[in-house]
Amino acid sequence: MMESTKTVQADLQQPSPILNPFLHDMGVEFLEMENGTARLSLDLTEKHMNSWQITHGGVIMTLLDVVMAMAGRSLHEDLKGVVTVEMKTSFLQPGGVAGGRIEARGKAFYQSTTMCFCEGEVWNGSRLIAKAMGTFKYLRRLKSGENMKKLYGSD
C-alpha cells in the first residue's frame, strides 16, 4: 500500500477548453485531486443520454477513466501524465436521467515506478451505479498531439 503526505493544491476547474476539449464539452466538474484520490461530477443533460433516455455507458466509463487517472496523477508532485493500459467496468444499475447529477470517485491503491493501479466508482446520490478497476502507465509530460502527428500524419 502506498502513502503520500503531499497534497496537490490546484485549481481543479479546467482552465480552458484547450486542455481537454472533450471533458469541457461534456460539462465535467473537477472537485478534488489529492493524496491518491479524486472526485468529479457531471450534471446530466439530454446529450448524455442513450436511446432509452438513461445515461450512456460511454459517459460513465469516461468519468471512471478520468477520475482514476486523476487519482494516480495526484501522487506525483509534477502531476505526471498517465495513459490507460487496462480498464474493467461493471455496470450495476442505470446511471441516471437528464436533470440528475452523478459523481465519480477514484482511488489509487498501488503504484510502482512506472505504473499505478486504481479503482473508481460512479454514484447517483446514494446509489452505486458502476465500479471499475484500471491500470495506468506514468509518462513524462509530452506534447503528445504533436508526437502523434509525426508518427501517424495529420488529416
Side-chain angles (χ1 to χ4, degrees), residues 21 39 83 115 139:
R39 287 185 320 120
V83 292
M115 305 284 271
L139 299 175

Side-chain angles (χ1 to χ4, degrees), residues 21-46:
F22 180 64
L23 297 178
H24 176 78
D25 287 348
M26 275 185 67
V28 173
E29 181 182 350
F30 299 88
L31 303 175
E32 177 185 346
M33 181 179 172
E34 62 185 12
N35 297 321
T37 64
R39 287 185 320 120
L40 49 83
S41 65
L42 178 66
D43 290 325
L44 299 171
T45 67
E46 291 297 325

Side-chain angles (χ1 to χ4, degrees), residues 21-154:
F22 180 64
L23 297 178
H24 176 78
D25 287 348
M26 275 185 67
V28 173
E29 181 182 350
F30 299 88
L31 303 175
E32 177 185 346
M33 181 179 172
E34 62 185 12
N35 297 321
T37 64
R39 287 185 320 120
L40 49 83
S41 65
L42 178 66
D43 290 325
L44 299 171
T45 67
E46 291 297 325
K47 71 181 180 181
H48 301 119
M49 301 298 114
N50 63 20
S51 60
W52 294 326
Q53 297 307 301
I54 59 171
T55 307
H56 193 286
V59 170
I60 294 168
M61 288 186 77
T62 296
L63 295 178
L64 288 164
D65 184 45
V66 172
V67 81
M68 289 189 295
M70 288 172 59
R73 289 182 64 216
S74 75
L75 296 173
H76 287 275
E77 197 171 294
D78 61 355
L79 297 178
K80 252 184 207 184
V82 297
V83 292
T84 308
V85 173
E86 174 270 338
M87 181 173 157
K88 188 242 188 249
T89 304
S90 296
F91 296 94
L92 307 172
Q93 10 185 354
V97 297
R101 182 176 175 89
I102 56 178
E103 181 177 305
R105 303 169 189 164
K107 179 181 179 188
F109 61 86
Y110 182 81
Q111 75 178 130
S112 68
T113 55
T114 60
M115 305 284 271
C116 186
F117 300 85
C118 303
E119 60 188 4
E121 298 177 342
V122 174
W123 290 81
N124 183 342
S126 62
R127 293 180 29 233
L128 177 62
I129 59 175
K131 197 163 176 67
M133 290 188 69
T135 306
F136 299 84
K137 180 169 178 50
Y138 288 115
L139 299 175
R140 291 184 310 270
R141 187 53 101 180
L142 301 173
K143 293 181 182 176
S144 57
E146 289 304 313
N147 289 339
M148 293 302 286
K149 285 180 187 175
K150 287 177 191 173
L151 286 173
Y152 299 106
S154 62

